[in-house]
Amino acid sequence: MMNFSEEIIERLRGLVITYEKSDSAEDRKKARRKMQKLDFRMTDFNIRNITSSDFNKLISSGKIKILSNIPTSKINSTTKQKFQEVSTSVFNLLAIEYSTINRDFINELNFYGLYSLRLKEKCLLPKPFQQFLSEREHQIIYVGKAQGQTLKERLNQELYAKGHGTFFRSIGAVLGCLPEVGSLYGKSNQNNYKFLREDQKKIILWIENNLEIAVVKTSNFEEEKHLICKLKPLLNDSHNPLALAELRMVKDKCRITARNK
């Protein structure tokens, strides 16, 4: 039997999902290495390629034991006071405090949870997206989760182009940026386009000047779907009953540009 804290279990669960769903041998290798750094090895359980079902069975059978209330995040005392864990099943993202986006703030977030991005007061999205946002009756444009990686890691992808960020690709497309022609040509993943370095800088500057962020420390990752369904954030595509065809169009334009030789 192996013992893990609740926090490590959630991180492992996210890595298992990444491993299970990835078509890339390199990405699966990275996920496996991250599991090993958390002292979890598939070979210890005679598993070659783990699935979410396998992981859940390890827990239900008692081969993995979850230990409660063991602090494992390396969070400084100021951050601990600022971000207390929320256990409620419903979060009011319209009422909680939002903060200015900058690298210092993001790099404090060494824990897991949910995040919300909203447009600052008096700031505008390009047409026609601003008109759609006005119809939503709130300024929230994206809700996401950090599961299997900390909010610091996730938001550096989403806001600062450190890797592949879904939101970064979406907001870049909305702002009219395009990836380099043919940059995805011949690659196994035909969706994760990247913008040119100069455009990345422009997108990051726009994010810092026009958006603000709220984070919730929680292990209730299923709440992300509920919040997206309830708030219908403009740039969320999945689980959104009002997903925009216009958003898909600008993202498709980026994909086509990157795929064409």
Side-chain angles (χ1 to χ4, degrees):
M1 181 179 70
M2 299 188 70
N3 299 329
F4 295 99
S5 71
E6 291 176 336
E7 183 178 351
I8 294 298
I9 286 292
E10 291 306 323
R11 188 166 187 181
L12 285 171
R13 195 185 301 279
L15 289 169
V16 168
I17 291 172
T18 298
Y19 182 90
E20 180 181 10
K21 293 187 176 182
S22 177
D23 294 326
S24 164
E26 184 62 29
D27 288 345
R28 296 185 78 169
K29 187 184 295 184
K30 288 179 182 178
R32 185 189 287 265
R33 285 174 182 166
K34 288 182 179 181
M35 292 183 216
Q36 292 171 349
K37 287 182 180 179
L38 297 174
D39 292 327
F40 179 87
R41 293 168 180 81
M42 300 181 203
T43 53
D44 291 342
F45 304 98
N46 295 318
I47 296 174
R48 184 174 181 181
N49 291 308
I50 195 164
T51 65
S52 297
S53 177
D54 293 332
F55 189 73
N56 290 333
K57 286 178 183 177
L58 291 177
I59 296 173
S60 62
S61 67
K63 293 181 180 179
I64 288 179
K65 183 178 180 181
I66 303 175
L67 303 178
S68 301
N69 302 322
I70 296 181
T72 54
S73 291
K74 298 177 181 179
I75 310 171
N76 63 40
S77 58
T78 303
T79 307
K80 284 182 179 177
Q81 293 173 4
K82 191 186 299 182
F83 304 109
Q84 296 299 318
E85 179 135 15
V86 177
S87 59
T88 178
S89 61
V90 179
F91 309 122
N92 186 353
L93 296 182
L94 299 177
I96 63 176
E97 181 181 353
Y98 280 74
S99 302
T100 300
I101 295 173
N102 58 66
R103 294 179 193 271
D104 290 340
F105 177 82
I106 299 304
N107 288 332
E108 282 188 352
L109 307 180
N110 290 306
F111 51 89
Y112 314 102
L114 305 177
Y115 60 94
S116 170
L117 298 169
R118 76 179 183 189
L119 199 65
K120 290 180 181 178
E121 189 176 353
K122 296 183 180 180
C123 292
L124 299 173
L125 290 168
K127 295 178 180 180
F129 296 95
Q130 182 58 42
Q131 179 182 344
F132 295 131
L133 183 62
S134 300
E135 295 169 358
R136 302 289 161 101
E137 298 182 346
H138 61 71
Q139 295 287 87
I140 294 173
I141 65 170
Y142 193 82
V143 172
K145 64 183 177 182
Q147 180 183 10
Q149 58 184 169
T150 64
L151 281 160
K152 171 185 173 180
E153 293 168 327
R154 182 64 177 163
L155 291 170
N156 268 300
Q157 291 177 347
E158 294 286 40
L159 306 178
Y160 290 101
K162 301 294 185 181
H164 299 293
T166 303
F167 173 77
F168 196 88
R169 289 196 298 272
S170 295
I171 193 62
V174 166
L175 294 174
C177 297
L178 289 171
E180 183 179 359
V181 175
S183 53
L184 288 179
Y185 183 79
K187 295 188 177 180
S188 57
N189 189 314
Q190 291 286 292
N191 295 313
N192 289 345
Y193 55 85
K194 283 191 172 184
F195 299 106
L196 297 170
R197 185 63 60 87
E198 286 305 309
D199 283 338
Q200 288 182 5
K201 292 177 182 178
K202 292 175 184 177
I203 296 166
I204 291 169
L205 185 62
W206 188 94
I207 287 172
E208 291 184 333
N209 289 338
N210 292 273
L211 301 182
E212 50 193 5
I213 187 170
V215 298
V216 178
K217 182 184 178 186
T218 182
S219 58
N220 183 9
F221 300 111
E222 285 299 310
E223 186 63 14
E224 179 206 32
K225 294 180 184 177
H226 169 80
L227 289 166
I228 293 171
C229 187
K230 178 183 177 182
L231 296 170
K232 307 170 185 64
L234 207 68
L235 300 190
N236 280 102
D237 219 359
S238 300
H239 316 301
N240 190 342
L242 292 182
L244 291 177
E246 289 79 4
L247 176 60
R248 289 192 291 271
M249 287 172 60
V250 294
K251 291 172 72 175
D252 283 345
K253 183 178 179 180
C254 287
R255 293 189 188 102
I256 291 169
T257 301
R259 291 170 184 170
N260 288 342
K261 190 172 181 181

